[in-house]
Amino acid sequence: MDPLSLGYSPCPNDTYIFNALVHRLIPYAGPELAPPVLDDVETLNAWAMQGRFDITKLSCHAYGYLRDQYRVLSAGAALGRGCGPLLVTHHGDKAADPAGWRVAIPGRYTTAALLLQLYLPGCTTTVMRFDRIMDALEQQSVDAGLIIHEGRFTYRDRDLLCVQDLGEWWERETGFPIPLGCIAMKSGLGQDLHDAVSVGIVQSIRWAEAHPDACLPYIRAHAQELAPGVIRSHIDLYVNSFSKDLGPEGLAAIDELIRRGQAIGLLPVV
């Protein structure tokens, strides 16, 4: 068979997770993988709608549209506690009343976008790349924005105020960890290939844990924020036990996100 196509984001958690696998630094018995394509997660979401990659990073929100085409792998996910998107603003005096704000979101199909609609139903949004949101806030072209990835660690440097940690809100509402992103594989490729790729991802994470400094050149080559402390904090926050195995709790968290999205009419019943 041809090598399987692969796409994931340039964020430190993904490059940390996949470094050893794509650079063949570990024994790997799974299917051959084509050189990966790295791009913003919302771009990956859109490409998944077209079926571009055999294996791809997806927002869990986007996965709600694609369950008839892709299956979530047990490894590689961004899911946990205390790691949700932040609703931030430059309006310190309006922080208690965000209902009338125009909010920048990092993509229509991101989990952050769905969480915002669950938290503030019907709010006005404008879509832009995640790395442009804080600039838009500084220019006051929007009232608030959803901060994800490295921005979680740097928004205070821009004198921005956090109105709500949507991950904390989700945890209070549901009791589940927040399901941000997953690695999904085309359903038609079969269970054996799914399992083999999942095992390869786990081996890649374990190699990274044993050789953290060796991962840095690849991570830094793609990161938006190069400060070593920010990169380390990003990895520590988004790579955890769920990254090695979603388990029943992780899968239930994804199911609950999709169920709530369906309940407000934002996700189809597949």
Side-chain angles (χ1 to χ4, degrees):
M1 64 183 296
D2 293 334
L4 300 185
S5 54
L6 169 64
Y8 52 86
S9 84
C11 294
N13 58 307
D14 282 353
T15 48
Y16 176 89
I17 285 172
F18 280 98
N19 173 59
L21 180 60
V22 300
H23 292 109
R24 302 182 181 181
L25 301 175
I26 54 171
Y28 171 60
E32 184 179 355
L33 303 176
V37 175
L38 279 63
D39 215 315
D40 169 61
V41 68
E42 181 67 355
T43 302
L44 296 173
N45 289 338
W47 282 338
M49 303 289 179
Q50 304 165 14
R52 174 169 175 177
F53 295 117
D54 297 311
I55 307 163
T56 186
K57 175 69 174 282
L58 279 179
S59 297
C60 290
H61 178 192
Y63 176 63
Y65 291 89
L66 294 165
R67 287 174 296 147
D68 57 342
Q69 302 170 50
Y70 285 90
R71 281 181 52 210
V72 171
L73 297 185
S74 62
L79 185 148
R81 297 185 183 275
C83 61
L86 306 179
L87 178 63
V88 304
T89 182
H90 53 77
H91 288 317
D93 59 331
K94 293 173 61 179
D97 184 22
W101 288 350
R102 187 160 61 96
V103 183
I105 59 173
R108 175 184 172 189
Y109 297 109
T110 59
T111 300
L114 177 53
L115 285 171
L116 180 67
Q117 292 299 329
L118 292 171
Y119 176 68
L120 285 177
C123 68
T124 301
T125 61
T126 183
V127 176
M128 60 183 66
R129 274 182 63 102
F130 77 95
D131 52 355
R132 297 175 184 167
I133 289 176
M134 286 195 288
D135 290 338
L137 283 165
E138 284 189 330
Q139 296 160 9
Q140 300 193 17
S141 57
V142 293
D143 297 299
L146 286 180
I147 301 301
I148 60 175
H149 304 324
E150 296 98 321
R152 183 182 180 90
F153 308 103
T154 61
Y155 75 92
R156 292 184 184 89
D157 299 336
R158 307 280 195 108
D159 293 323
L160 298 172
L161 173 70
C162 180
V163 179
Q164 179 64 58
D165 182 324
L166 293 182
E168 290 182 359
W169 172 81
W170 167 267
E171 290 174 43
R172 287 197 307 270
E173 288 286 309
T174 70
F176 286 115
I178 179 66
L180 298 171
C182 61
I183 305 300
M185 189 170 174
K186 285 186 175 177
S187 303
L189 291 171
Q191 186 65 46
D192 289 344
L193 292 186
H194 283 246
D195 290 345
V197 173
S198 292
V199 169
I201 292 172
V202 173
Q203 292 173 328
S204 190
I205 295 171
R206 288 176 174 160
W207 189 94
E209 291 172 337
H211 307 87
D213 292 340
C215 299
L216 284 176
Y218 185 57
I219 293 169
R220 290 173 64 86
H222 297 283
Q224 290 288 326
E225 171 59 58
L226 297 178
V230 172
I231 288 175
R232 187 69 254 173
S233 296
H234 184 117
I235 293 167
D236 289 344
L237 188 63
Y238 295 110
V239 182
N240 51 45
S241 60
F242 289 113
S243 304
K244 296 176 186 174
D245 184 8
L246 277 171
E249 185 179 23
L251 292 170
I254 295 173
D255 286 345
E256 180 65 12
L257 180 75
I258 292 171
R259 185 192 70 78
R260 290 185 178 234
Q262 291 171 340
I264 63 172
L266 288 182
L267 282 174
V269 178
V270 178

